[in-house]
Amino acid sequence: MAAPELLNVHFGLVTESGRYLTAEPFGFTVNVAGQSLKRKQVWALQEEAAATCPEAAAGGQAGADAATTPVLLRSHLGRFLSADKNGRVSADCDKPGPECRFFVFPQADGRWALQSERYGRYLGLGCASVAGGLAPQTPSDSEPLECWAQTLSSNELWAVHLAMHPQVSMYCVGRKRYVRLSTPTPATPAARDELLADSAIPWGVDSLVVLEFNPGGAYSLKACDARLLRSDGVLVNEAEPGTAYVIEFKGGRLAFRDHQGHYLGAMGPAGVLRAGRKPSTRPGKDDLFMLEDSQPQFVLLACNGRMLSVRQTMDVSANQDEETDTETFQMEIDRGSSRVAFRTCGSHYWALVNNGSIQASTSDKGDSCFFDIEWRGKQIAVKAQNGKYVTTKKNGRLSASSDTVGEAELFMLRLVNRPILVLRGEHGFMNAHRGDAPTLHANRSSYQTFRLHYRNGAYAIQGQNQRYWALSGLDVALCGDEPTDFYLEFVGYSRVALRAPNGRLVRGDQAGGVRADADSVDSESLWEY
């Protein structure tokens, strides 16, 4: 089984006072003025060849592990962070040079110390001047930034806020398996409430993991039912010291270390996720994880009222009334073309065969596996590579043989692996002003979870105040006492458009407003989910 595509490591760096390291487009200057994680506060990490830091080897305060790998920090503008011999910091290098390389030393509380490889100084907040003259001017609401400190204090420590959607699939490198929630069922009464690294593919809502950032810089791991993973492997409802983990980057993989210095890993024959019994200076193979975008999975209902299935043969047919894994299909949207491939629980893809029928017959995504989706309110039409629409024949089998769209060419989707929705737009996360307030904002650095309620092809979206999304004029607010239907249109890789009851798309503007007034899909009306 191939390993998943590695998510790019993007993050924000946060000071003790809650300010973010910010790259400004004018002059490629750097300051510490950002108050939330937006585009200018996002940095990408690139690793370089291994090296040894002489200062750390000599017993510096950065950490016990002397051997480390220098990294590059690239801004949203594609330029690299650098520090010169006088401690001045900028992000104007279009190609990485010696002054662009930093050592990263994770601290016990999860924060990072960043040390210039060339000069051995630490990046942090400083005084108004540095050696060689005054420091570069910074905005009036910014803290002074320099790379000059020879020893560590709280001014040189940075919390790491991952700039990614928090709902992911989690892949254990050592086990070559995905993490899922295991709970007792009538068929498996002896099962325990645990997270297990034992799935060949991330299937169903049980494979959804939520990575939650805590203000101090540590992270929590939430199962799909919102319970938190404690380091002893127990799932609990409330946060406690054992549910907080420090994230460490190891060659593009992630390791999670608990407050006692133990690494979280897959343990025993079942692959139970829990921390080791002894502290360790470095993670083992079963302690390393990769994060993958969680793809949407659906049940599709045909015009005959039955679910599409591959339970009986490789033919995709509308012939089932009982929902199992064989009636669930993963929609994989191509990044470049926005065409769609449908994957089965057995890792086979729908494919157009010579006679026009649709079969789940291949494990490789070739041209015949991609389809175009037309969103038609609560239903969709599917067009195959031959230019024909997929239709449901009288025997339930699918065939790409229709030139027009009628009742037999329409299908209804029901999303099965997103009971809880987290939305991030171009300007930030969707959140309410307060937990019980009706006003929605689309430019927050933290997210609010919304519960999805399926309603015959549409969805009602419920907030933490137990009220529903509704229209107040063109504004979208958490003010509905009764469910209101919105339509989810999956139109891009990991992106969804939300169509409101007025037929227009929901967008978030730079000021944070959430309005149903967009006529077409653009950057403000696309939401990462």
Side-chain angles (χ1 to χ4, degrees), residues 6-7 9 45 47 248-254 289-291:
L6 195 68
L7 284 181
V9 179
L45 182 144
E47 289 191 346
E248 296 181 6
F249 296 98
K250 303 290 182 182
R253 278 86 171 163
L254 276 70
F289 298 89
M290 296 164 67
L291 302 181

Side-chain angles (χ1 to χ4, degrees), residues 44-61:
L45 182 144
Q46 294 179 199
E47 289 191 346
E48 290 232 310
T52 300
C53 171
E55 288 79 7
Q61 298 182 37

